[in-house]
Amino acid sequence: MAKPFFRLQKFLRRTQFLLFFLTAAYLMTGSLLLLQRARVGLPPPGPRAPGPLQALPVAAVALGVGLLDSRALHDPRVSPELLLSVDVLQGPLDRPRPGPRWLRSRNSELRQLRRHWFHHFMGDPQGPPALGPEAPRPAASSRGTYMGCFSDDGQERTLKGAVFFDLRKMTISHCQDACAERSYIYAGLEAGAECYCGNRLPAVSVGPEECNHECKGEKRSVCGGAGRLSVYRVEELQPGSRKRRTVTYRGCFRLPENVTHAFRDSLVQANMTVETCSGFCSQKEFPLAILRGWECYCAYPTPQFNLRDAVDASLCGQEPEAQRLAEYCEVYQTPVQDTRCTDRRFLPTKSKVFVALSSFPGAGNTWARHLIEHATGFYTGSYYFDGTLYNKGFKGEKDHWRSRRTICVKTHESGRREIEMFDSAILLIRNPYRSLVAEFNRKCAGHLGYAADRNWKSKEWPDFVNSYASWWSSHVLDWLRYGKRLLVVHYEELQRSLVPTLREMVAFLNVSVSEERLLCVENNKEGSFRRRGRRPHDPELFTPEMKDLINGYIRTVDQALRDHNWAGLPQEYVPR
């Protein structure tokens, strides 16, 4: 009996050893395969073709892929850009909502974001590429004249006209065309991805070796440096680019009492034309060109000349000599930007009050952020990370939403936990019919595009309405119920009475601004996120069943606002 038992014991020992050996071999083989796949999957150095998520300027979400543990957060050797978005995975995520497969949840988007930025971090650990001293001067293909490398460290920028960023595809020609489109003379590139425009050269010139950053979309080309601008004189638009913007007629207005005080610059000559006057004022970086007979004046909108009280155009249609003696003038908008409200920065100290800018998707949150940033001079943050918005100048998009370095934080979240994180909130509400159309356009064609006819005629559109209409209602109801301190703003009221409504919003944010700055915002109110062109779909998109559904939610929200001592929804929301 002992002999068979001994044989069995010996067999089990050999089997145990064999299982251990096979397990170790399996793990080693798997590790080698993973390393090989990572090596194959890493993108080659240099510019890469951007995918839908590659344009997002978010740093590697290290904790999401297991690159860092909690001790690494305090390691001074770890780049702060790597840690920028660590908390986003620990923050509250959107609740799963019913709907068709094409409506991807935010959780799915975040998973793709983590995978993308893991590969981005592994493939580009050194940050933006810098050029050595032997690097060539800016690409010969650019048509502008290179003026040199200039300092951009001062508080007041010289080139502060049109501003945009592109972390993936910035090129010298791209920046020059953007500046030429607005009739600026100089284009300046900074840190490989930032473009600035203006009509005056910066005051401080530095050595060429200090402009050592490579353009993100153009290898071996210089695009400034840290606090350094590579400046070009813009000669003409590149072939195939958009046309140069032209002047816009604003109307006929009565002259202010003190013309020399109200209008900063002037030019008088025989046979004065609109083109001559506009060109003169554009070169001086004034947004308004004012024509009275043979006299040309350049100005900004001011409380004394605010362009709100236009008169009959026939009063300005006289002969030049007669018009020169009259009290009326023609006003034109020049292509250049009103720069009195373009300077923006992060808060100098962390905000003690954590403020949300909350809205349903498609309710105009991006436009409201544009207005708030230009009115207050401080960046707004975001609960999400959108590279398209960052490239359009929303620099707070890259900052972590809990940093408290921004004046307020964009969010579309609802639910008690997500709402009670904020101390106060501006609740932006828009007509649900228009909100649903705007968000569907964004889902199908991005921030500036329109959904194609096939999208509207397919099952996607009714599925979208059924899934999102209830969200419009629950979003408002949740914020009314759980919000600690609210300011309710209606999108339509902001459109109709921009300056008074914006003044109320700025006061809620505890920021004091001048009337001139608010008028500057009004002059730049459109921003870079207005859809242009023909809407490629039929005017009537909502079926009777859809209207019944949405109108029921409108009545519910209207009553809830009144129950919380707010005015009800605007008249145009009333069920049709």
Side-chain angles (χ1 to χ4, degrees), residues 191-231:
E194 303 176 8
C195 176
Y196 301 90
C197 308
N199 286 337
R200 291 179 292 118
L201 280 174
V204 181
S205 177
V206 297
E209 69 280 356
E210 296 191 32
C211 286
N212 54 10
H213 281 211
E214 184 178 85
C215 300
K216 293 290 185 179
E218 192 172 13
K219 295 182 67 175
R220 309 304 294 172
S221 295
V222 181
C223 280
R228 299 293 182 263
L229 284 167
S230 295
V231 180

Side-chain angles (χ1 to χ4, degrees), residues 392-419:
K392 289 292 184 179
F394 290 93
K395 215 165 186 177
E397 195 76 22
K398 191 177 179 181
D399 205 52
H400 190 266
W401 64 280
R402 281 180 171 169
S403 69
R404 293 180 179 256
R405 299 199 309 152
T406 53
I407 193 67
C408 61
V409 176
K410 164 189 172 179
T411 180
H412 299 312
E413 302 301 308
S414 54
R416 181 170 185 172
R417 180 187 173 191
E418 289 80 359
I419 293 172

